[in-house]
Amino acid sequence: MGFTLEVDVAAPPEAVQDYFADPALRPDWQSSLRRIDRLPGPGRGVGARWYDVTLVGAKPLMEVTVDEPGRAWSEKGE
């Protein structure tokens, strides 16, 4: 199961993607997060993995699956 979210933003696509694709910045825009815990490997881009540590104690494993600058970005979570 998955979903797609589309939002219009008045900024260049590359700048928007650069911000939202950085796992370290997720707690800035995802209010349910306390922090992320990075895993070994690439810090960004396809294959980057981390745990989202949420306010309610859930800790889903996240991984970037698509990273095409200015065009597409996708992640999966378990």
Side-chain angles (χ1 to χ4, degrees):
M1 172 179 255
F3 67 92
T4 299
L5 175 65
E6 293 185 24
V7 178
D8 290 328
V9 178
E14 294 81 6
V16 174
Q17 183 172 347
D18 192 50
Y19 177 76
F20 284 104
D22 186 343
L25 298 176
R26 291 176 76 92
D28 292 350
W29 58 266
Q30 188 174 338
S31 63
S32 64
L33 286 185
R34 291 188 130 150
R35 68 178 191 277
I36 63 134
D37 289 345
R38 290 189 186 267
L39 293 171
R44 293 187 59 174
V46 173
R49 297 176 347 139
W50 66 93
Y51 287 103
D52 275 350
V53 181
T54 69
L55 296 173
V56 297
K59 201 172 174 185
L61 172 63
M62 309 301 292
E63 181 177 352
V64 175
T65 57
V66 175
D67 188 7
E68 300 172 11
R71 183 164 163 15
W73 184 87
S74 182
E75 67 183 27
K76 67 177 181 177
E78 297 179 9

Coordinates of all heavy atoms in Angstrom, one line a residue:
M1 N 0.8 -1.2 0.0 CA 0.0 0.0 0.0 C 0.9 1.2 0.0 O 1.9 1.3 0.6 CB -0.9 0.0 1.2 CG -1.7 1.3 1.4 SD -2.8 1.2 2.8 CE -4.3 1.0 1.9
G2 N 0.5 2.3 -0.7 CA 1.2 3.5 -0.7 C 0.3 4.6 -1.1 O -0.9 4.5 -1.3
F3 N 0.9 5.8 -1.1 CA 0.2 7.0 -1.5 C 1.1 8.0 -2.2 O 2.3 7.9 -2.0 CB -0.6 7.6 -0.3 CG 0.3 8.2 0.7 CD1 0.7 9.5 0.7 CD2 0.8 7.4 1.7 CE1 1.5 10.1 1.6 CE2 1.7 8.0 2.7 CZ 2.0 9.3 2.6
T4 N 0.5 8.9 -2.9 CA 1.2 10.0 -3.5 C 0.7 11.3 -3.0 O -0.5 11.5 -2.8 CB 1.1 9.9 -5.0 OG1 1.6 8.7 -5.5 CG2 1.8 11.1 -5.7
L5 N 1.6 12.2 -2.7 CA 1.2 13.5 -2.2 C 1.8 14.6 -3.2 O 3.0 14.5 -3.5 CB 1.8 13.7 -0.8 CG 1.6 15.1 -0.2 CD1 0.1 15.4 0.0 CD2 2.3 15.2 1.1
E6 N 1.0 15.5 -3.6 CA 1.4 16.5 -4.5 C 1.0 17.9 -3.9 O -0.1 18.1 -3.4 CB 0.8 16.4 -5.9 CG 1.2 15.2 -6.6 CD 0.7 15.1 -8.1 OE1 0.3 16.2 -8.6 OE2 0.6 14.0 -8.6
V7 N 2.0 18.8 -3.8 CA 1.8 20.1 -3.2 C 2.5 21.1 -4.1 O 3.7 20.9 -4.5 CB 2.5 20.2 -1.8 CG1 2.3 21.6 -1.2 CG2 1.8 19.1 -0.9
D8 N 1.8 22.2 -4.5 CA 2.4 23.3 -5.2 C 3.2 24.2 -4.3 O 2.8 24.6 -3.2 CB 1.4 24.1 -5.9 CG 0.7 23.4 -7.1 OD1 1.4 22.5 -7.7 OD2 -0.5 23.6 -7.3
V9 N 4.5 24.5 -4.7 CA 5.4 25.3 -3.9 C 6.0 26.3 -4.8 O 6.5 26.0 -5.9 CB 6.5 24.4 -3.2 CG1 7.5 25.3 -2.4 CG2 5.9 23.3 -2.3
A10 N 6.1 27.5 -4.3 CA 6.7 28.6 -5.1 C 8.2 28.7 -4.9 O 8.8 29.6 -4.3 CB 6.1 30.0 -4.7
A11 N 8.9 27.7 -5.4 CA 10.3 27.6 -5.3 C 10.8 26.6 -6.4 O 10.0 25.8 -6.9 CB 10.8 27.1 -3.9
P12 N 12.1 26.7 -6.8 CA 12.6 25.8 -7.9 C 12.5 24.4 -7.4 O 12.8 24.1 -6.2 CB 14.0 26.3 -8.0 CG 14.1 27.6 -7.4 CD 13.1 27.7 -6.4
P13 N 12.1 23.5 -8.3 CA 12.0 22.0 -7.9 C 13.3 21.5 -7.2 O 13.2 20.7 -6.3 CB 11.8 21.3 -9.2 CG 11.2 22.4 -10.1 CD 11.8 23.7 -9.7
E14 N 14.4 21.9 -7.7 CA 15.7 21.4 -7.1 C 15.9 21.8 -5.7 O 16.3 21.0 -4.8 CB 16.9 21.9 -8.0 CG 17.0 21.3 -9.4 CD 16.1 22.1 -10.4 OE1 15.5 23.1 -10.0 OE2 15.9 21.6 -11.5
A15 N 15.5 23.0 -5.4 CA 15.6 23.5 -4.0 C 14.6 22.8 -3.0 O 15.0 22.5 -1.9 CB 15.4 25.0 -3.9
V16 N 13.4 22.6 -3.5 CA 12.4 21.9 -2.7 C 12.8 20.5 -2.5 O 12.8 20.0 -1.3 CB 11.0 22.0 -3.4 CG1 10.0 21.1 -2.7 CG2 10.5 23.4 -3.5
Q17 N 13.3 19.8 -3.5 CA 13.7 18.4 -3.4 C 14.9 18.3 -2.4 O 15.0 17.4 -1.6 CB 14.0 17.8 -4.7 CG 14.4 16.3 -4.5 CD 14.5 15.6 -5.9 OE1 14.1 16.1 -6.9 NE2 15.0 14.4 -5.9
D18 N 15.8 19.2 -2.6 CA 17.0 19.2 -1.8 C 16.7 19.3 -0.3 O 17.3 18.6 0.6 CB 18.0 20.4 -2.2 CG 19.3 20.2 -1.5 OD1 19.9 19.1 -1.7 OD2 19.8 21.2 -1.0
Y19 N 15.7 20.1 0.0 CA 15.3 20.3 1.4 C 14.5 19.0 1.9 O 14.9 18.5 3.0 CB 14.4 21.5 1.6 CG 13.8 21.7 3.0 CD1 14.6 22.2 4.0 CD2 12.5 21.4 3.3 CE1 14.1 22.3 5.3 CE2 12.0 21.5 4.6 CZ 12.8 22.0 5.5 OH 12.3 22.2 6.8
F20 N 13.5 18.6 1.2 CA 12.7 17.5 1.7 C 13.4 16.1 1.6 O 13.1 15.2 2.3 CB 11.4 17.4 0.9 CG 10.4 18.4 1.4 CD1 10.2 19.6 0.7 CD2 9.8 18.3 2.6 CE1 9.3 20.6 1.1 CE2 8.9 19.3 3.1 CZ 8.7 20.4 2.3
A21 N 14.4 16.0 0.7 CA 15.1 14.7 0.6 C 16.3 14.5 1.6 O 16.9 13.5 1.7 CB 15.7 14.6 -0.8
D22 N 16.5 15.5 2.4 CA 17.6 15.4 3.4 C 17.0 14.8 4.7 O 16.3 15.5 5.4 CB 18.2 16.8 3.7 CG 19.4 16.7 4.6 OD1 19.6 15.7 5.3 OD2 20.1 17.7 4.7
P23 N 17.3 13.6 5.1 CA 16.7 12.9 6.2 C 17.0 13.7 7.5 O 16.1 13.8 8.4 CB 17.4 11.6 6.3 CG 17.8 11.3 4.9 CD 18.2 12.6 4.3
A24 N 18.1 14.4 7.6 CA 18.4 15.2 8.9 C 17.4 16.3 9.1 O 17.2 16.7 10.2 CB 19.8 15.7 8.8
L25 N 16.8 16.8 8.0 CA 15.8 17.9 8.2 C 14.4 17.5 8.4 O 13.5 18.3 8.6 CB 15.9 18.8 6.9 CG 17.2 19.5 6.6 CD1 17.2 20.2 5.3 CD2 17.6 20.4 7.8
R26 N 14.1 16.2 8.4 CA 12.7 15.7 8.5 C 12.1 16.2 9.8 O 10.9 16.6 9.8 CB 12.7 14.2 8.5 CG 13.0 13.6 7.1 CD 13.1 12.1 7.2 NE 11.7 11.5 7.2 CZ 11.0 11.2 6.2 NH1 11.5 11.3 5.0 NH2 9.8 10.7 6.3
P27 N 12.7 16.2 11.0 CA 12.0 16.7 12.1 C 11.6 18.2 12.0 O 10.7 18.6 12.7 CB 13.1 16.6 13.3 CG 14.0 15.4 12.8 CD 14.0 15.7 11.3
D28 N 12.2 19.0 11.1 CA 11.8 20.4 10.9 C 10.4 20.5 10.3 O 9.7 21.4 10.5 CB 12.8 21.1 10.0 CG 14.2 21.3 10.6 OD1 14.3 21.0 11.9 OD2 15.1 21.7 9.9
W29 N 10.1 19.5 9.4 CA 8.8 19.6 8.7 C 7.8 18.5 9.0 O 6.7 18.5 8.6 CB 9.0 19.7 7.2 CG 9.8 18.6 6.6 CD1 11.1 18.5 6.4 CD2 9.3 17.3 6.1 NE1 11.5 17.3 5.8 CE2 10.3 16.6 5.6 CE3 8.0 16.8 6.0 CZ2 10.2 15.3 5.0 CZ3 7.8 15.5 5.4 CH2 8.9 14.8 5.0
Q30 N 8.2 17.4 9.7 CA 7.3 16.3 10.1 C 7.1 16.4 11.6 O 8.0 15.9 12.4 CB 8.0 15.0 9.6 CG 7.0 13.8 9.8 CD 7.5 12.6 9.2 OE1 8.4 12.6 8.4 NE2 7.0 11.4 9.7
S31 N 6.0 16.9 12.0 CA 5.8 17.2 13.4 C 5.7 16.0 14.3 O 5.9 16.1 15.5 CB 4.5 18.0 13.6 OG 3.4 17.3 13.2
S32 N 5.5 14.8 13.8 CA 5.5 13.6 14.6 C 6.8 13.0 14.9 O 6.9 12.1 15.7 CB 4.7 12.5 13.8 OG 5.3 12.1 12.6
L33 N 7.9 13.7 14.4 CA 9.3 13.1 14.7 C 10.0 13.8 15.8 O 9.9 15.0 15.9 CB 10.1 13.3 13.4 CG 9.9 12.4 12.3 CD1 10.9 12.6 11.2 CD2 9.9 10.9 12.7
R34 N 10.7 13.0 16.6 CA 11.6 13.6 17.6 C 13.0 13.8 16.9 O 13.7 14.7 17.2 CB 11.8 12.6 18.7 CG 10.6 12.5 19.6 CD 11.0 11.6 20.8 NE 10.5 12.3 22.0 CZ 10.2 11.7 23.1 NH1 10.3 10.5 23.2 NH2 9.8 12.5 24.1
R35 N 13.4 12.7 16.1 CA 14.7 12.8 15.5 C 14.7 11.6 14.5 O 13.8 10.8 14.4 CB 15.8 12.6 16.5 CG 15.9 11.2 17.1 CD 17.0 11.0 18.1 NE 17.2 9.6 18.5 CZ 16.4 9.0 19.4 NH1 15.5 9.7 20.1 NH2 16.6 7.7 19.7
I36 N 15.8 11.6 13.7 CA 16.1 10.4 12.9 C 17.4 9.8 13.4 O 18.3 10.4 13.9 CB 16.2 10.7 11.4 CG1 17.4 11.7 11.1 CG2 14.9 11.3 10.9 CD1 18.2 11.3 10.0
D37 N 17.5 8.5 13.3 CA 18.7 7.7 13.6 C 19.2 7.1 12.3 O 18.6 6.2 11.7 CB 18.4 6.6 14.6 CG 18.1 7.1 16.0 OD1 18.4 8.2 16.3 OD2 17.6 6.3 16.8
R38 N 20.3 7.7 11.8 CA 20.9 7.2 10.5 C 21.5 5.8 10.7 O 22.0 5.5 11.7 CB 22.0 8.2 10.1 CG 21.6 9.5 9.6 CD 22.7 10.3 9.0 NE 22.3 11.6 8.7 CZ 21.9 12.0 7.5 NH1 21.8 11.1 6.6 NH2 21.6 13.3 7.3
L39 N 21.5 5.1 9.6 CA 22.2 3.8 9.5 C 23.4 4.0 8.6 O 23.5 4.9 7.8 CB 21.2 2.8 8.9 CG 20.0 2.5 9.8 CD1 19.0 1.7 9.1 CD2 20.5 1.8 11.1
P40 N 24.4 3.1 8.7 CA 25.6 3.1 7.9 C 25.2 3.1 6.4 O 24.2 2.5 6.0 CB 26.3 1.9 8.2 CG 25.9 1.5 9.6 CD 24.4 1.9 9.7
G41 N 26.0 3.7 5.6 CA 25.7 3.8 4.1 C 25.6 5.2 3.7 O 26.0 6.1 4.4
P42 N 25.1 5.4 2.5 CA 25.0 6.8 2.0 C 24.1 7.7 2.9 O 23.1 7.2 3.4 CB 24.4 6.7 0.6 CG 23.7 5.4 0.6 CD 24.4 4.5 1.6
G43 N 24.5 8.9 3.1 CA 23.7 9.8 3.9 C 22.5 10.4 3.2 O 21.5 10.8 3.8
R44 N 22.5 10.4 1.9 CA 21.4 10.9 1.1 C 21.4 10.1 -0.2 O 22.4 9.4 -0.6 CB 21.7 12.3 0.7 CG 21.5 13.2 1.9 CD 21.6 14.7 1.6 NE 20.5 15.0 0.7 CZ 20.2 16.2 0.3 NH1 20.9 17.2 0.8 NH2 19.2 16.5 -0.5
G45 N 20.3 10.2 -1.0 CA 20.2 9.5 -2.2 C 19.7 8.1 -2.1 O 19.5 7.6 -1.0
V46 N 19.6 7.4 -3.2 CA 19.1 6.0 -3.3 C 20.0 5.2 -2.4 O 21.2 5.2 -2.4 CB 19.1 5.5 -4.7 CG1 18.8 4.0 -4.7 CG2 18.1 6.3 -5.6
G47 N 19.3 4.4 -1.5 CA 20.0 3.5 -0.6 C 20.2 4.1 0.8 O 20.5 3.4 1.7
A48 N 20.0 5.4 1.0 CA 20.1 6.0 2.3 C 19.0 5.4 3.2 O 17.9 5.3 2.8 CB 19.9 7.6 2.2
R49 N 19.4 5.1 4.4 CA 18.5 4.4 5.3 C 18.6 5.1 6.7 O 19.7 5.5 7.1 CB 18.7 2.9 5.4 CG 18.5 2.2 4.1 CD 18.9 0.7 4.2 NE 19.6 0.3 5.3 CZ 19.4 -0.9 6.0 NH1 18.5 -1.7 5.6 NH2 20.1 -1.2 7.0
W50 N 17.5 5.1 7.4 CA 17.4 5.7 8.7 C 16.1 5.2 9.4 O 15.2 4.7 8.8 CB 17.5 7.2 8.7 CG 16.2 7.8 8.1 CD1 15.1 8.3 8.7 CD2 16.0 8.0 6.7 NE1 14.2 8.7 7.8 CE2 14.7 8.6 6.5 CE3 16.7 7.8 5.5 CZ2 14.2 8.9 5.3 CZ3 16.2 8.1 4.3 CH2 14.9 8.7 4.2
Y51 N 16.1 5.4 10.7 CA 14.9 5.2 11.5 C 14.3 6.6 11.8 O 15.0 7.5 12.3 CB 15.2 4.5 12.8 CG 15.5 3.0 12.7 CD1 16.8 2.6 12.7 CD2 14.5 2.1 12.4 CE1 17.1 1.3 12.6 CE2 14.8 0.8 12.3 CZ 16.1 0.3 12.4 OH 16.5 -1.0 12.2
D52 N 13.0 6.7 11.6 CA 12.2 7.9 12.0 C 11.8 7.5 13.5 O 11.1 6.6 13.7 CB 10.9 8.0 11.2 CG 11.1 8.8 9.9 OD1 12.1 9.4 9.7 OD2 10.1 8.8 9.2
V53 N 12.3 8.3 14.4 CA 12.0 8.1 15.8 C 10.8 9.1 16.1 O 11.0 10.3 16.2 CB 13.2 8.4 16.7 CG1 12.8 8.1 18.2 CG2 14.3 7.5 16.3
T54 N 9.6 8.5 16.4 CA 8.4 9.4 16.5 C 8.1 9.7 17.9 O 8.6 9.1 18.9 CB 7.2 8.6 15.9 OG1 6.9 7.5 16.7 CG2 7.5 8.2 14.5
L55 N 7.2 10.7 18.1 CA 6.8 11.1 19.4 C 6.1 10.0 20.2 O 6.1 10.0 21.4 CB 5.9 12.3 19.3 CG 6.6 13.6 18.8 CD1 5.5 14.7 18.6 CD2 7.7 14.1 19.7
V56 N 5.4 9.1 19.5 CA 4.7 8.0 20.2 C 5.5 6.8 20.3 O 5.0 5.8 20.8 CB 3.4 7.7 19.4 CG1 2.4 8.9 19.4 CG2 3.6 7.2 18.0
G57 N 6.8 6.8 19.9 CA 7.7 5.7 20.2 C 7.8 4.7 19.0 O 8.6 3.8 19.1
A58 N 7.0 4.9 17.9 CA 7.2 4.1 16.7 C 8.6 4.4 16.1 O 9.1 5.5 16.3 CB 6.1 4.3 15.7
K59 N 9.2 3.5 15.5 CA 10.5 3.7 14.9 C 10.6 3.0 13.5 O 11.3 2.0 13.4 CB 11.5 3.1 15.9 CG 12.9 3.7 15.7 CD 13.8 3.2 16.8 CE 15.3 3.6 16.5 NZ 16.2 3.1 17.5
P60 N 9.8 3.5 12.5 CA 9.9 2.8 11.2 C 11.2 3.0 10.5 O 11.9 4.0 10.6 CB 8.8 3.5 10.4 CG 8.6 4.8 11.1 CD 8.9 4.6 12.5
L61 N 11.6 1.9 9.8 CA 12.8 2.0 9.0 C 12.5 2.6 7.7 O 11.6 2.1 7.0 CB 13.4 0.5 8.8 CG 14.5 0.4 7.8 CD1 15.8 1.2 8.3 CD2 14.9 -1.1 7.6
M62 N 13.2 3.6 7.3 CA 13.0 4.3 6.0 C 14.1 4.1 5.1 O 15.3 4.0 5.5 CB 12.8 5.8 6.3 CG 11.7 6.1 7.4 SD 10.1 5.5 7.1 CE 9.6 6.5 5.7
E63 N 13.8 4.1 3.8 CA 14.9 4.0 2.8 C 14.5 4.8 1.5 O 13.4 4.7 1.0 CB 15.1 2.5 2.4 CG 16.2 2.3 1.4 CD 16.5 0.9 1.1 OE1 16.0 0.0 1.7 OE2 17.3 0.6 0.1
V64 N 15.5 5.5 1.0 CA 15.2 6.3 -0.3 C 15.3 5.3 -1.4 O 16.3 4.5 -1.6 CB 16.3 7.4 -0.5 CG1 16.1 8.1 -1.8 CG2 16.2 8.4 0.6
T65 N 14.3 5.3 -2.3 CA 14.2 4.3 -3.4 C 14.4 5.0 -4.8 O 14.7 4.4 -5.8 CB 12.9 3.5 -3.4 OG1 11.8 4.5 -3.4 CG2 12.8 2.7 -2.1
V66 N 14.1 6.3 -4.8 CA 14.2 7.1 -6.1 C 14.8 8.5 -5.7 O 14.3 9.1 -4.8 CB 12.8 7.3 -6.8 CG1 13.0 8.2 -8.0 CG2 12.2 6.0 -7.2
D67 N 15.8 8.9 -6.4 CA 16.3 10.3 -6.2 C 16.8 10.8 -7.6 O 17.9 10.5 -8.0 CB 17.4 10.2 -5.2 CG 17.9 11.6 -4.8 OD1 17.3 12.6 -5.2 OD2 18.9 11.7 -4.1
E68 N 15.9 11.5 -8.2 CA 16.2 12.2 -9.5 C 16.1 13.7 -9.3 O 15.0 14.2 -9.3 CB 15.2 11.7 -10.6 CG 15.3 10.2 -10.8 CD 14.2 9.7 -11.7 OE1 13.5 10.5 -12.4 OE2 14.0 8.5 -11.8
P69 N 17.2 14.4 -9.0 CA 17.1 15.8 -8.6 C 16.2 16.6 -9.5 O 16.3 16.6 -10.8 CB 18.6 16.2 -8.7 CG 19.4 15.0 -8.4 CD 18.6 13.9 -9.1
G70 N 15.3 17.4 -8.9 CA 14.4 18.3 -9.6 C 13.3 17.6 -10.3 O 12.5 18.2 -10.9
R71 N 13.2 16.3 -10.2 CA 12.2 15.5 -10.9 C 11.4 14.6 -10.0 O 10.2 14.6 -10.0 CB 12.9 14.8 -12.0 CG 11.9 14.0 -12.9 CD 12.6 13.6 -14.2 NE 12.0 12.6 -15.0 CZ 10.8 12.1 -15.0 NH1 9.9 12.5 -14.1 NH2 10.4 11.2 -15.9
A72 N 12.1 13.7 -9.3 CA 11.3 12.7 -8.5 C 12.2 12.2 -7.3 O 13.4 12.2 -7.4 CB 11.0 11.5 -9.4
W73 N 11.4 11.9 -6.3 CA 12.1 11.4 -5.0 C 11.0 10.5 -4.4 O 9.8 10.8 -4.3 CB 12.4 12.6 -4.1 CG 13.2 12.1 -2.9 CD1 14.5 11.9 -2.8 CD2 12.6 11.8 -1.6 NE1 14.8 11.5 -1.5 CE2 13.7 11.4 -0.8 CE3 11.3 11.8 -1.1 CZ2 13.5 11.1 0.5 CZ3 11.1 11.4 0.2 CH2 12.2 11.0 1.0
S74 N 11.5 9.4 -3.9 CA 10.5 8.4 -3.2 C 11.3 7.7 -2.1 O 12.5 7.5 -2.2 CB 10.0 7.4 -4.3 OG 9.1 6.6 -3.7
E75 N 10.5 7.3 -1.1 CA 11.1 6.5 0.0 C 10.1 5.4 0.3 O 8.9 5.4 -0.1 CB 11.3 7.3 1.2 CG 10.0 7.8 1.8 CD 10.2 8.7 3.0 OE1 11.3 9.4 3.1 OE2 9.3 8.8 3.8
K76 N 10.6 4.4 1.0 CA 9.7 3.3 1.5 C 9.9 3.2 3.0 O 11.0 3.5 3.5 CB 9.9 2.0 0.8 CG 11.2 1.3 1.1 CD 11.3 0.0 0.4 CE 12.7 -0.6 0.7 NZ 12.8 -2.0 0.1
G77 N 8.9 2.8 3.7 CA 9.1 2.6 5.1 C 8.5 1.3 5.6 O 7.6 0.8 5.0
E78 N 9.1 0.7 6.6 CA 8.6 -0.5 7.2 C 8.2 -0.3 8.6 O 9.0 0.3 9.4 CB 9.7 -1.6 7.1 CG 10.1 -1.9 5.7 CD 11.2 -3.0 5.6 OE1 11.5 -3.6 6.6 OE2 11.7 -3.2 4.5

